[in-house]
Amino acid sequence: MKKIKVLISEEKINNRLDELANQIMDEYKGKNIVFLCILKGSIFFTVELAKRIKNNIQLYLKIAMTIVVAIIVFYQIENRIAMNMDDVVYKSVFNNFDSFKIWAWEFYHIWSGRIITSALSNLFLRMPIIVVKISNVGVYLIAIFAIFKIVKYFAKINNSTIETIILATIYILSFIVPRAVVDSGMMWVTGSFNYLWPTAFMFVALIPFIRRITDNEKKESKFLFLIYIFADFIACFAEQTALVLTTMATITILYMLISKKKIDKLLLIHYVIIILITLIETLAPGNFVRFNASTLRRYPSFNMLNMGDKMLQGLILTISQILTDDKKILMALTLLICIKNLMRKNISKTIKVFSAIPLIYCIISYIGSKVGIGEKIVYNLTYFGIEYIYCLKIYIPILLGTINLVLITVLILYSFDNIKTGILSCLFFLGGLASTMTISASPTIYASGSRVFFLMDCMFIVVIGIFAMQICNEKYMTITKKKLKRSKGYKNDK
């Protein structure tokens, strides 16, 4: 076979495309650029050139938003972050050991499997508090951009204005997370390394799996995979994030196997590392020691409960949190579900009516709590102990709350034309609920408190972001189609 001579290398073509893109962006700064491909053979060149064109105004807006948000978050942390009692205890205990190796061995065997996150918290406890504050702001922004990256994979079209709107939406949603959750999840040193950091890096580690399951063709460099593996070590040394990450990663691998898609080596290595770290963390002897100590100290009647009672307790606490402190986030989600289904033309009126029920329920609960009749609708479910689990007065709000959550799940599944988008959105929603229920069904809920809901709120933000992205995409496409029809009508009149 005759060897083909390369006249112009790929590198030279890419460099020239970059130059052309920069030239176009400089000449048409601040204007909307429309590409018109004259001949069908030039489509590949046109597409590659269009990919390199970026809207500078939208980029500046994103940067400005990020700077403003970073300043606000830093101000909040500056005024609220403090050395918690746990911080003092961790620091003093660590100082009693001659080496890190001895401390890690003891910690793993008599306290917890969270070696990496606890080691990081001990490291930062020795630094000036300003370093912790700046680091937490940085990790908060990492969480936001990782969520934004995941949501972008569900976009039907690439539009810089829509992306800016979605990023702004995610920022706003992060500010309506309940204060008790934020304070206990990121406003003190040890808490931030057990909740904020694992949650942020869990979303980072999820990116390559979501990219493949959404059939995004963009390739990732080896350097990015090193970042993902680093994220594994932070995310998988915390129970909640390890549970969600392992589940989502396993579903992705199974999907690729069933679809007979090639699983590249880097993704497989990434997955194996997640499984191994999760096993190391979960099987730590210290977890069982801590569990028994928490039972004796905080919840003596815990061992009297069977598995059904424990899960019921988790459900009680989860529903209570969602319908009280998290009502704004849930209301935002149910509002977008309602809007999304009202916009759709290919569904029945029955589904449109049902899509409004969760929103109405949330509004009634919210109004009831404001006017002092909240207990009529949502009974105070923040009780612990076997005597409260069997209280009949609790079962009506539990039943109503459970029906509401089930209906939301079904509506999420059927709100998208693309069934894959519906399934993934459901997984994020159910993953948030599961992460909370598994923790709140244990005696450590007494020690953890509101911060166990940090991951759940972030997972809900992903689902809301997906709905917002889909709604914006559909609205944009509708407007574009109308413009095309008008332009065709104008040409016909001519």
Side-chain angles (χ1 to χ4, degrees), residues 18-83:
D18 291 336
E19 290 174 9
L20 281 172
N22 290 328
Q23 186 180 343
I24 291 168
M25 285 189 289
D26 288 337
E27 290 183 10
Y28 295 91
K29 190 179 291 183
K31 296 179 181 178
N32 287 324
I33 301 169
V34 179
F35 284 88
L36 183 62
C37 184
I38 305 299
L39 301 171
K40 64 180 181 180
S42 64
I43 184 66
F44 303 105
F45 171 81
T46 308
V47 168
E48 289 300 321
L49 180 61
K51 283 180 182 177
R52 289 164 169 78
I53 302 294
K54 296 176 182 178
N55 191 325
N56 288 331
I57 293 176
Q58 300 301 329
L59 179 62
Y60 297 149
L61 275 173
K62 289 174 186 176
I63 293 170
M65 276 194 301
T66 302
I67 292 170
V68 170
V69 169
I71 292 169
I72 294 170
V73 174
F74 181 81
Y75 176 77
Q76 290 179 334
I77 292 176
E78 178 71 23
N79 289 306
R80 283 150 64 183
I81 198 168
M83 290 283 284

Side-chain angles (χ1 to χ4, degrees), residues 150 202-213 225 228 232 235-236 241-257 263 266-276 278 424 427-428 431 459:
I150 289 169
M202 182 207 73
F203 285 118
V204 172
L206 270 177
I207 288 172
F209 295 105
I210 301 300
R211 185 181 75 80
R212 280 159 178 77
I213 209 167
F225 268 94
Y228 297 147
D232 294 341
C236 292
T241 47
L243 169 71
V244 173
L245 181 56
T246 305
T247 304
M248 296 292 281
T250 303
I251 289 169
T252 303
I253 296 297
L254 289 173
Y255 165 77
M256 294 182 76
L257 288 171
I263 303 173
L266 289 174
L267 186 71
L268 192 60
I269 291 168
H270 183 29
Y271 176 67
V272 170
I273 290 171
I274 288 170
I275 297 297
L276 289 175
T278 301
L424 286 169
L427 287 174
F428 276 107
M459 297 285 276

Side-chain angles (χ1 to χ4, degrees), residues 43-290:
I43 184 66
F44 303 105
F45 171 81
T46 308
V47 168
E48 289 300 321
L49 180 61
K51 283 180 182 177
R52 289 164 169 78
I53 302 294
K54 296 176 182 178
N55 191 325
N56 288 331
I57 293 176
Q58 300 301 329
L59 179 62
Y60 297 149
L61 275 173
K62 289 174 186 176
I63 293 170
M65 276 194 301
T66 302
I67 292 170
V68 170
V69 169
I71 292 169
I72 294 170
V73 174
F74 181 81
Y75 176 77
Q76 290 179 334
I77 292 176
E78 178 71 23
N79 289 306
R80 283 150 64 183
I81 198 168
M83 290 283 284
N84 189 280
M85 189 63 191
D86 282 4
D87 297 334
V88 177
V89 171
Y90 270 68
K91 190 175 180 179
S92 61
V93 169
F94 189 81
N95 289 334
N96 293 331
F97 290 93
D98 296 328
S99 68
F100 172 79
K101 184 178 178 181
I102 297 171
W103 169 84
W105 178 266
E106 292 287 332
F107 186 86
Y108 186 76
H109 284 82
I110 65 171
W111 183 245
S112 173
R114 301 177 184 177
I115 301 175
I116 299 297
T117 51
S118 297
L120 281 171
S121 65
N122 280 314
L123 176 65
F124 276 81
L125 282 168
R126 279 153 182 73
M127 297 181 184
I129 195 69
I130 189 68
V131 176
V132 179
K133 293 173 181 178
I134 293 171
S135 299
N136 279 3
V137 172
V139 174
Y140 163 85
L141 292 176
I142 288 171
I144 294 294
F145 279 102
I147 291 171
F148 176 62
K149 183 76 172 177
I150 289 169
V151 169
K152 274 180 66 179
Y153 286 137
F154 294 90
K156 294 178 181 178
I157 52 173
N158 292 320
N159 182 278
S160 56
T161 304
I162 291 174
E163 288 180 5
T164 306
I165 293 169
I166 299 305
L167 182 60
T169 303
I170 294 170
Y171 276 136
I172 292 167
L173 289 168
S174 70
F175 285 118
I176 65 172
V177 172
R179 180 165 180 170
V181 175
V182 173
D183 284 353
S184 58
M186 64 178 282
M187 294 298 174
W188 54 290
V189 183
T190 307
S192 64
F193 282 97
N194 285 320
Y195 292 92
L196 171 65
W197 283 59
T199 299
F201 285 101
M202 182 207 73
F203 285 118
V204 172
L206 270 177
I207 288 172
F209 295 105
I210 301 300
R211 185 181 75 80
R212 280 159 178 77
I213 209 167
T214 53
D215 300 321
N216 191 289
E217 298 299 327
K218 186 179 179 181
K219 292 183 178 180
E220 292 158 322
S221 65
K222 291 181 180 179
F223 175 73
L224 273 176
F225 268 94
L226 289 176
I227 294 174
Y228 297 147
I229 289 168
F230 171 78
D232 294 341
F233 281 90
I234 307 294
C236 292
F237 275 106
E239 294 85 356
Q240 285 180 298
T241 47
L243 169 71
V244 173
L245 181 56
T246 305
T247 304
M248 296 292 281
T250 303
I251 289 169
T252 303
I253 296 297
L254 289 173
Y255 165 77
M256 294 182 76
L257 288 171
I258 293 168
S259 304
K260 296 181 180 179
K261 294 187 176 183
K262 185 181 177 182
I263 303 173
D264 53 277
K265 290 180 182 178
L266 289 174
L267 186 71
L268 192 60
I269 291 168
H270 183 29
Y271 176 67
V272 170
I273 290 171
I274 288 170
I275 297 297
L276 289 175
I277 297 173
T278 301
L279 288 172
I280 291 169
E281 197 284 330
T282 306
L283 299 176
N287 290 337
F288 304 100
V289 175
R290 185 186 181 200

Side-chain angles (χ1 to χ4, degrees), residues 282-314:
T282 306
L283 299 176
N287 290 337
F288 304 100
V289 175
R290 185 186 181 200
F291 186 89
N292 292 329
S294 297
T295 302
L296 290 171
R297 182 183 172 190
R298 302 179 184 276
Y299 200 161
S301 62
F302 183 77
N303 289 328
M304 296 172 64
L305 305 175
N306 58 39
M307 183 54 69
D309 293 334
K310 292 172 184 176
M311 294 311 297
L312 180 60
Q313 177 181 264

